[in-house]
């Protein structure tokens, strides 16, 4: 009898975990032939799965990352899985604003088109600093992508209709921005949450300033994904989190589905500035929909990266 109860309990846990990890797939089959797509951090995780899916649809895919060895390996894998040779990488370090500027200069010289920009790269909650003395989370997750998008925005407008997709996280809800301390770097989880909230405000402001100019913008929470973000932590922490991720987190392929949806869907295009979860628009907390805060962050970010 004990054995039977054990089997029943195990099956119950299995199906509960399976239900918790259930997610929608992007069912839109639209082709992207002739489109050029730039994906930051496309050498691993959600970024790589997004690159594979969009390359399979015929797009020219450029992955931007700082490690050339990992990038070359990822390009080979993306080409193999997507059956496309139109995949390449360019070097970019979002933790260094000079690198962002050099990348954009090189990209605009080499590439005549940019139809979709996927701001995918990100740092987890770490108490480190960028080369420009910004907290790593705020500097990479927000400021690096802020500068990148601004410098590439004229090309996006030229190639309209175009899209900007920025990955964020539902953990935004646990913090608010402090404009007296945007460079907050004390508690790892809180500094991460603030950077993800900044991503949401940024996406909304991109939608506002490009309204009527053929550029749409989306913030995407991909879900909690079994990616390699734990590499920034100790071995003991990684072992613990790997068990939790196996139980509750979804594979990167599934995490990429909402990004793919926002890249191809006509329905998504009706919700520029929106926040998406599981291939559909979702509701943000009221404080995360404050247009005045979004504009204030944009103006502060311009000063911080010397665009103002």
């Amino acid at each position: 009898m004990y054995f039977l109860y054990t089997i029943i309990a195990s099956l119950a846990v299995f199906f509960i975990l399976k239900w918790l990890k259930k997610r929608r797939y992007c069912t839109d089959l639209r082709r992207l032939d002739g489109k050029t797509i730039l994906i930051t951090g496309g050498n691993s995780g959600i970024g790589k799965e997004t690159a594979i899916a969009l390359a399979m649809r015929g797009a020219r895919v450029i992955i931007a990352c700082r490690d050339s060895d990992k990038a070359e390996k990822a390009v080979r894998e993306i080409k193999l899985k997507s059956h496309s040779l139109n995949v390449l990488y360019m070097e970019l370090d979002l933790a260094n604003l000079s690198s962002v500027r050099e990348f954009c200069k090189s990209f605009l010289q080499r590439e005549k088109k940019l139809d979709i920009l996927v701001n995918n790269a990100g740092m987890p909650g770490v108490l480190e600093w960028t080369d420009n003395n910004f907290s790593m989370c705020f500097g990479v997750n927000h400021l690096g992508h802020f500068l990148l998008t601004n410098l590439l925005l004229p090309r996006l407008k030229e190639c309209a209709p175009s899209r900007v997709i920025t990955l964020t996280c539902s953990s935004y809800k646990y913090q608010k921005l402090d404009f007296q301390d945007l460079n907050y770097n004390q508690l790892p989880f809180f500094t991460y949450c603030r950077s993800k909230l900044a991503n949401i405000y940024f996406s909304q402001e991109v939608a506002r300033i490009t309204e009527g100019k053929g550029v749409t913008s989306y913030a995407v929470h991909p879900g909690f994904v079994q990616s390699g973000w734990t590499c920034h932590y100790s071995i003991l922490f990684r072992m613990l989190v790997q068990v939790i991720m196996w139980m509750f987190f979804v594979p990167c392929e599934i995490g990429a589905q909402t990004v793919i949806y926002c890249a191809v869907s006509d329905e998504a295009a009706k919700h520029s500035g929106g926040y998406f979860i599981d291939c559909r628009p979702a509701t943000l907390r009221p404080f995360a929909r404050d247009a005045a805060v979004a504009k204030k962050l944009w103006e502060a970010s311009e000063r911080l990266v010397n665009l103002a």
Side-chain angles (χ1 to χ4, degrees):
M1 201 61 156
Y2 175 78
F3 180 70
L4 179 61
Y5 288 151
T6 302
I7 292 176
I8 293 172
S10 299
L11 287 172
V13 170
F14 172 79
F15 285 111
I16 289 171
L17 292 176
K18 190 173 182 179
W19 177 80
L20 287 171
K21 295 196 287 184
K22 185 179 180 181
R23 293 291 184 274
R24 293 170 182 257
Y25 273 82
C26 176
T27 56
D28 194 315
L29 301 178
R30 168 169 295 188
R31 297 284 301 173
L32 294 171
D33 301 283
K35 303 290 186 182
T36 297
I37 300 173
L38 173 61
I39 305 173
T40 65
N43 62 305
S44 63
I46 295 171
K48 185 167 72 174
E49 292 297 334
T50 300
I52 292 168
L54 299 184
M56 287 179 68
R57 293 168 183 259
R60 174 178 174 81
V61 174
I62 302 165
I63 62 171
C65 38
R66 65 175 184 224
D67 190 316
S68 59
D69 291 335
K70 291 181 179 179
E72 288 175 356
K73 181 180 178 182
V75 166
R76 290 194 295 270
E77 185 178 342
I78 294 165
K79 286 180 176 179
L80 182 65
K81 290 187 175 181
S82 66
H83 305 291
S84 170
L85 296 177
N86 209 0
V87 181
L88 63 151
Y89 87 93
M90 294 178 64
E91 188 173 338
L92 169 65
D93 183 359
L94 288 163
N96 185 310
L97 297 182
S98 295
S99 173
V100 177
R101 286 186 165 88
E102 283 299 315
F103 170 87
C104 291
K105 181 180 178 181
S106 177
F107 181 91
L108 293 171
Q109 288 173 346
R110 289 173 48 176
E111 301 293 330
K112 302 307 178 186
K113 292 189 66 180
L114 178 59
D115 300 281
I116 302 172
L117 170 60
V118 182
N119 292 321
N120 164 80
M123 289 292 292
V126 294
L127 299 182
E128 298 174 8
W129 301 91
T130 71
D131 294 341
N132 304 97
N133 294 317
F134 297 113
S135 70
M136 190 62 76
C137 279
F138 187 69
V140 171
N141 297 354
H142 173 61
L143 289 178
H145 284 120
F146 176 85
L147 179 60
L148 178 76
T149 304
N150 270 276
L151 295 178
L152 297 179
L153 203 51
R155 184 59 50 85
L156 285 161
K157 291 176 181 177
E158 289 173 9
C159 298
S162 54
R163 306 185 184 205
V164 179
I165 303 166
T166 303
L167 272 72
T168 183
C169 181
S170 63
S171 62
Y172 79 86
K173 66 187 71 168
Y174 300 119
Q175 285 286 288
K176 294 183 180 181
L177 295 184
D178 178 1
F179 283 91
Q180 302 303 313
D181 189 14
L182 284 174
N183 217 20
Y184 173 89
N185 205 24
Q186 296 180 28
L187 294 175
F189 180 65
F190 287 171
T191 191
Y192 175 76
C193 294
R194 292 185 187 198
S195 73
K196 294 291 103 179
L197 177 58
N199 289 152
I200 290 171
Y201 286 135
F202 163 73
S203 182
Q204 292 169 357
E205 193 64 7
V206 169
R208 187 188 70 81
I209 66 173
T210 60
E211 187 175 3
K213 298 176 182 176
V215 181
T216 50
S217 175
Y218 317 93
V220 170
H221 169 52
F224 296 102
V225 178
Q226 299 166 1
S227 61
W229 60 271
T230 57
C231 68
H232 298 277
Y233 301 99
S234 68
I235 293 176
L236 183 61
F237 179 83
R238 291 203 296 266
M239 290 173 62
L240 174 62
V241 173
Q242 285 297 332
V243 174
I244 296 172
M245 286 201 297
W246 178 82
M247 292 177 66
F248 299 107
F249 289 22
V250 299
C252 292
E253 180 187 359
I254 295 177
Q257 294 304 307
T258 306
V259 183
I260 299 164
Y261 173 81
C262 287
V264 302
S265 170
D266 286 336
E267 188 63 31
K270 300 175 184 177
H271 302 277
S272 184
Y275 172 64
F276 287 77
I277 300 175
D278 203 19
C279 296
R280 55 188 170 185
T283 302
L284 289 162
R285 296 288 176 88
F287 72 85
R289 303 196 300 266
D290 192 324
V293 174
K295 185 177 181 180
K296 186 176 181 180
L297 175 64
W298 186 278
E299 292 169 349
S301 300
E302 285 181 321
R303 293 191 295 272
L304 290 170
V305 302
N306 296 317
L307 279 179

